[in-house]
Amino acid sequence: MNNKKFYCLDMFPYPSGSGLHVGHVEGYTASDIFSRYKRMKGFNVIHPMGWDSFGLPAENYAIKTGVHPSKTVDTAINNFTSQMKKLGLEYDWEREVKTSSSEYYRWTQWLFLLLYKNGLAYKKKAKVNWCEKCSTVLANEQAETGFCERCGDQVVQKDLEQWFFKISDFIEDQEFEGKKIKGLLSGLDDIDWPQTTKIAQKNWIGKSVGAEVIFAISDDKDNYNLNVFTTRPDTLYGCTYMAINPEHEIVEKFKNSIKNLSEVSKYIEESKKKTDMEKIIDAKDKTGVELEGISAINPLNNKRIKIFVADYVLSGYGSGAIMAVPAHDERDYAFAKKYNLEIIEVISGGDISKEAYTGDGTLINSEIVNGLSVEEAKKKIIKYLEDKKIGQASVNYRLRDWLISRQRYWGAPIPIIYCDKCGELPVPEKDLPVLLPEDVDFLPTGESPLKYSKSFHEVNCPLCGKKARRENDTMDTFVCSSWYYFRYLDPKNEQIFAEKDKISQFMPVDLYIGGADHSVMHLLYARFIAKVLQRYDYTDINEPFKKLRHQGMILAEDGSKMSKSKGSVVNPNDVVSEYGADALRLYEMFMGPLEEVKPWNTKNILGVKRFLEKTEILSEKVVEDDSKKDSQDVILEINKTIKKVGEDIEELKFNTAISQLMIMLNLLGKKEKISFNTWKKFLLVLAPFAPFTSENLWLKLNEKKSIFEVSWPEYDSSLLAEEKVSLAVQFNGKTRGLIDVEPNTEESVIISMLKDDEKFKKYLSGAYKKVIYVKNRIINFIV
């Protein structure tokens, strides 16, 4: 059995009617090259493909055309598959999965039940992001800009009963039944991901360390304690007002005491029209209304402070209330200036008459911590709060639980039954899958179309047997894509989502190539589900993706984002028809570093097309005579090529690997004959990049096996150890000769060699101002 395993994963594409465009091809080609190379290196490679086929695009198309989403999806999948095969993308098609098939979403529903039975899936009334055009709820991540990520319409806020997954339980490390499970934060330290993506996830989780302070709220009749989270307990003496979210419960509790209730109510109603993101964007122009008639008491100095309702305070942060310290917070400073509120300096070092001071310093005007540093003051005040039982050390997170309800048809039904007698019940596992009904109208109404299906609700209570109803909502498509990497390993299994031994053999995924656009959605959710399955002993895997790399976006020729409506999308079928699949593959990889954004230019494909044509022509120079000996420069270069191309593939530096292949081919083009042995090695290293050309020329050599059944060639390291590079020696930019040196020789060593060389020492007899040294290429003296 081959113990060398490699699991390579692509983006999980949504099959749309428009098919692939050249922007998609880059990532798929990169993973294909890597997988082919690993197979040739003797690895047991899994490189599957599947379809994220639930979701709004197919349903919106169904609403527009009357074509059932399942037909739209199947047509699109056939189109995508055809395109992929034309491009020579080699997938394990026997592992293919489709999230909209009942065989797949049966296990998505099983996953829901696993979370539900363990208290990790729950339903509650909550303020949600609502898209009127799509008539559905959006997760925070899908409305991050204040607009729907699907249709672009403005998002509004609504109060609805919704289902959530308790992702917040997995932020920090935990121990469960003797098993240590790393959380979403610390797990990032164990994986090889782009730093920008790790930072994006950390910021989205938003861990804040500080204190929870108890403020007494009073109207001279009743007292009410409000816990307020702050990261700056050291500045508590500088707190001169409190701000609460417009929907905070104390407005209702003290409504009979608030003298300007009408003004406050009007402000609250206006605020409801804004999403959290809009409130953040509008925070520069801060607005608020004082709650006249009630006040808060600063627990350290017992001073009464005003309370404002202000929409820059988000309901999801802490308790939905903040202690405002204008002297040392830019946001609070602007608000205090606008409403003429007191500003008390408690940290020395700035000029608060001009702006808030947010730097470090010594505490002043702070009775019990005067003279202390910020960090010392934080510790002492927290201890004081805890001793007096008016606060405690605390941690707050920005991450909210994952809202998974959708009021749409085309998704996995939530496996819950409602009985008038027995209440809310999970569907028994033996009754899965809960199938999507056919008797529905796709037209969105703000409620799930499933509500109006008679066949769907023909169900009896699993406990008492009486007539019951199913849950109307379907699951967010991100639930389906949160676990598909497990299903690829065991796609036909009808007993479990994947056998544990198969998971142990191939997981975690060795390389995942995908776009950066799902950094805080799919990638975060997939990590969460992996940790859930580890907790309940279905896997031993904590992090699903060991190494992640993002391909850069390919832009239209004018540098703008490719757009179907603007006619700037390039169809790979057209490119393949004119230039061939191998030319497209090579061009996509040769455009520049994989992770960079690059503009498309069809004319530039001619360069790689000529390279392939030259390869065909040079095949005529190949001689089978074993007595034919290669010249020393060819022997050296083919060994160098094998080494460099292999190393560049491992590092995903495909553009420089292709550059080396071109150098090798140019050298062979200068020779009268090419040995059989050298040509075979060249074709083998070219094969992952240009499979059609390589296989065709390989078979012309009368080889019995496919080129991809042959091992990657070995290089002679002893030859490369003796290799030297020719360095151009320049004076004031003018080349005066070459010097042969060991690769990566240090600048000081080269200068010493030149001073001893009769050819160059005369130029170095005087002083020189500057040396420009590019390793292995040039050394330029400015004299």
Side-chain angles (χ1 to χ4, degrees), residues 54 68 100 102 105 109 408-413 433-440 450 453 455-456 474:
F54 267 143
H68 195 278
S100 58
S102 58
Y105 71 72
Q109 292 171 340
R408 299 297 292 245
Y409 166 71
W410 194 235
V434 177
L435 296 172
L436 275 173
E438 296 287 332
D439 58 336
V440 291
L450 299 185
S453 166
S455 63
F456 185 68
T474 53

Side-chain angles (χ1 to χ4, degrees), residues 310-321:
D311 65 8
Y312 76 84
V313 181
L314 303 180
S315 59
Y317 184 80
S319 62

Side-chain angles (χ1 to χ4, degrees), residues 524-647:
L524 187 65
Y525 300 150
R527 295 180 62 225
F528 160 59
I529 292 301
K531 293 172 194 297
V532 169
L533 292 171
Q534 182 195 22
R535 180 198 265 193
Y536 298 110
D537 206 33
Y538 288 97
T539 83
D540 296 320
I541 303 303
N542 180 261
E543 288 293 339
F545 313 129
K546 183 162 62 177
K547 181 175 181 177
L548 170 73
R549 291 296 182 267
H550 300 309
Q551 79 276 12
M553 184 181 291
I554 292 183
L555 304 174
E557 297 208 21
D558 62 0
S560 65
K561 186 175 180 179
M562 286 193 182
S563 167
K564 187 177 179 182
S565 61
K566 294 178 182 177
S568 59
V569 169
V570 180
N571 189 325
N573 290 2
D574 298 335
V575 181
V576 171
S577 296
E578 187 169 354
Y579 300 97
D582 285 348
L584 175 56
R585 289 168 62 102
L586 281 169
Y587 177 60
E588 292 257 6
M589 296 297 98
F590 193 53
M591 289 171 72
L594 181 69
E595 67 280 4
E596 287 189 3
V597 175
K598 303 167 282 284
W600 178 267
N601 191 326
T602 304
K603 292 178 182 177
N604 289 345
I605 301 178
L606 290 171
V608 292
K609 175 68 172 171
R610 283 193 287 267
F611 166 75
L612 292 169
E613 289 170 347
K614 186 175 181 180
T615 304
E616 296 266 5
I617 292 168
L618 290 186
S619 68
E620 302 301 323
K621 287 188 176 184
V622 177
V623 292
E624 295 187 43
D625 185 0
D626 288 339
S627 64
K628 166 67 182 173
K629 300 294 182 183
D630 285 311
S631 58
Q632 192 60 34
D633 59 344
V634 169
I635 293 172
L636 192 62
E637 198 63 41
I638 193 63
N639 278 277
K640 180 180 176 182
T641 300
I642 295 167
K643 180 176 186 288
K644 179 166 177 56
V645 172
E647 289 174 349

Side-chain angles (χ1 to χ4, degrees), residues 12 51-54 97-102 104-105 108 412 477 480-481 484:
F12 199 38
W51 313 101
D52 189 13
S53 49
F54 267 143
V97 299
K98 182 174 71 170
T99 60
S100 58
S101 71
S102 58
Y104 184 92
Y105 71 72
T108 302
T477 57
C480 297
S481 62
Y484 70 100

